[in-house]
Amino acid sequence: MIGIFRNKSGCRFLSRILNSPGFSFHVSSWRSLQNLAYEEVRASSDKPYDSTAFILHGLLGSGRNWRSFSRNLLSRLSNSSSTEWRLVLVDLRNHGRSAESEGFDPPHDMVNAAKDLAKLVESQGWAWPDVVMGHSMGGKVALQFAQSCNRGDYGDSASLPKQLWVLDSIPGNVDPENSDGEVEKVLKTLQGLPSSVPSRKWLVNHMIELGFSRSLSEWIGSNLKKSGEHETWSFNLEGAVQMFNSFRETSYWSLLEHPPKDMEIAIVRAENSDRWSPEVVRQLERLSSKGLEESKRQVSVHVLPNSGHWVHVDNPKGLLDIVAPKFSSL
């Protein structure tokens, strides 16, 4: 079922009902020239929501990457909690439909990416989110959002989230020597391509010929959109590269060492992810055990088995088993 609605600002957005066995989902899409694009996923449009979670994608992704997981999370929560949840799937600056919007001035870094979230909350007149969950680069945007909120950068009315989720994202500086450099190779390859390509099939074959895996090549191809007789990127590549550089160079260990009062930070490390050095793993385990000793475990670490970096694709059920109980506890 499809219908066009207007929010209080007079902006048009698209509402759809997505069905799965025994459950219906209400999805609203919205975009403006000044704010981040987003989708709302709710179990029902008839009941008012009680709590809100922001879901933040990773580099070169978009909110739609998390639709399936979000629907499954809502389905799980409906069976375990009386709270009505609203999940807001955000397209970060330079990504998805936000890449088409104006008003996202440089520098394209973690600070401004997080500030965009605050501007979205204020412009829509929303309550501040109860939960912020970010994957990969989105995890650092989530950490920056909490850090800026805690030090008053967003004004006195801003409230910290009760829970912050960081999904397979290194909290500190990312040392290129501790990775295989695949992301850098992808970005360099994309920068060497024309702004439009003949077709998605052409791009996938080209990436495979350059030595990239089929799964990665097809995922890159999924970020193309039709433009006349050709395909063009759904992201702003140069802006995304700047965000990736900021992601690598920014550290939030101090936030984890001294988390704000009444906010829990949950870090999920994928068991088969290649992003975690032994030193970083030991540092996280120390922080987690420190919280247990002090009986105020504000930083928790969870290992997601049978999963690489793409946690919501590799083991979505396992991720739900970690996330859903903590959502329900709020």
Side-chain angles (χ1 to χ4, degrees):
M1 183 166 62
I2 299 178
I4 298 295
F5 299 81
R6 290 181 180 271
N7 67 2
K8 65 183 182 182
S9 301
C11 298
R12 301 171 74 236
F13 61 94
L14 176 67
S15 178
R16 296 179 292 149
I17 301 297
L18 301 180
N19 295 311
S20 67
F23 212 77
S24 296
F25 299 92
H26 183 81
V27 181
S28 301
S29 302
W30 187 85
R31 180 171 63 85
S32 83
L33 294 179
Q34 289 79 33
N35 283 317
L36 295 172
Y38 65 89
E39 289 184 358
E40 290 185 8
V41 183
R42 292 169 58 190
S44 171
S45 61
D46 300 327
K47 300 178 182 178
Y49 59 84
D50 306 303
S51 299
T52 295
F54 280 11
I55 313 294
L56 313 180
H57 60 82
L59 181 71
L60 304 185
S62 66
R64 69 181 183 179
N65 300 148
W66 286 83
R67 283 176 185 164
S68 178
F69 178 83
S70 297
R71 293 196 295 266
N72 290 331
L73 176 58
L74 283 178
S75 182
R76 182 81 67 93
L77 292 173
S78 71
N79 296 322
S80 61
S81 172
S82 60
T83 301
E84 288 292 327
W85 280 90
R86 174 183 68 145
L87 305 185
V88 180
L89 316 186
V90 177
D91 286 353
L92 297 173
R93 60 166 55 207
N94 299 306
H95 293 75
R97 290 165 301 139
S98 293
E100 305 168 14
S101 299
E102 301 171 359
F104 299 111
D105 297 326
H108 299 297
D109 56 16
M110 297 300 96
V111 171
N112 279 323
K115 189 184 295 182
D116 294 338
L117 299 176
K119 289 180 179 178
L120 178 62
V121 170
E122 293 169 345
S123 68
Q124 300 305 302
W126 292 339
W128 292 82
D130 303 278
V131 176
V132 179
M133 174 186 290
H135 173 239
S136 195
M137 183 182 72
K140 277 200 167 176
V141 176
L143 288 165
Q144 180 63 56
F145 178 80
Q147 181 168 282
S148 294
C149 192
N150 187 52
R151 65 189 182 200
D153 293 353
Y154 305 147
D156 296 336
S157 65
S159 299
L160 278 162
K162 300 179 182 71
Q163 286 182 7
L164 200 73
W165 288 85
V166 182
L167 308 181
D168 211 54
S169 183
I170 306 298
N173 302 97
V174 178
D175 187 348
E177 294 183 3
N178 291 334
S179 72
D180 59 7
E182 185 177 54
V183 176
E184 290 87 346
K185 293 174 187 173
V186 168
L187 293 175
K188 187 174 181 180
T189 298
L190 298 187
Q191 286 177 307
L193 293 175
S195 58
S196 62
V197 297
S199 67
R200 183 172 299 182
K201 182 179 179 181
W202 179 92
L203 176 71
V204 171
N205 290 337
H206 180 70
M207 298 288 288
I208 292 173
E209 289 172 2
L210 293 175
F212 295 103
S213 68
R214 175 168 289 278
S215 59
L216 175 61
S217 301
E218 289 179 345
W219 180 77
I220 294 295
S222 71
N223 288 288
L224 289 169
K225 61 181 180 180
K226 197 72 176 174
S227 178
E229 297 181 357
H230 296 83
E231 304 265 355
T232 189
W233 299 117
S234 61
F235 46 73
N236 174 353
L237 180 58
E238 293 308 316
V241 169
Q242 293 176 42
M243 292 177 73
F244 176 65
N245 290 334
S246 174
F247 161 79
R248 289 194 305 180
E249 297 163 1
T250 311
S251 175
Y252 298 96
W253 282 118
S254 61
L255 182 69
L256 297 182
E257 292 279 0
H258 307 284
K261 185 181 178 182
D262 299 326
M263 186 185 79
E264 181 182 357
I265 303 175
I267 297 175
V268 175
R269 176 172 67 85
E271 180 181 41
N272 301 327
S273 175
D274 60 0
R275 285 156 168 78
W276 300 87
S277 70
E279 180 184 353
V280 171
V281 171
R282 285 193 296 270
Q283 200 165 352
L284 285 177
E285 290 173 346
R286 179 182 61 80
L287 283 174
S288 183
S289 60
K290 174 186 173 184
L292 284 175
E293 293 167 3
E294 297 175 357
S295 301
K296 57 170 187 177
R297 192 181 184 186
Q298 284 187 261
V299 178
S300 58
V301 180
H302 312 264
V303 178
L304 179 63
N306 305 315
S307 177
H309 181 61
W310 307 104
V311 291
H312 56 307
V313 175
D314 293 347
N315 188 0
K317 183 180 181 301
L319 185 59
L320 283 172
D321 290 342
I322 293 172
V323 170
K326 284 190 170 291
F327 267 62
S328 298
S329 70
L330 291 180

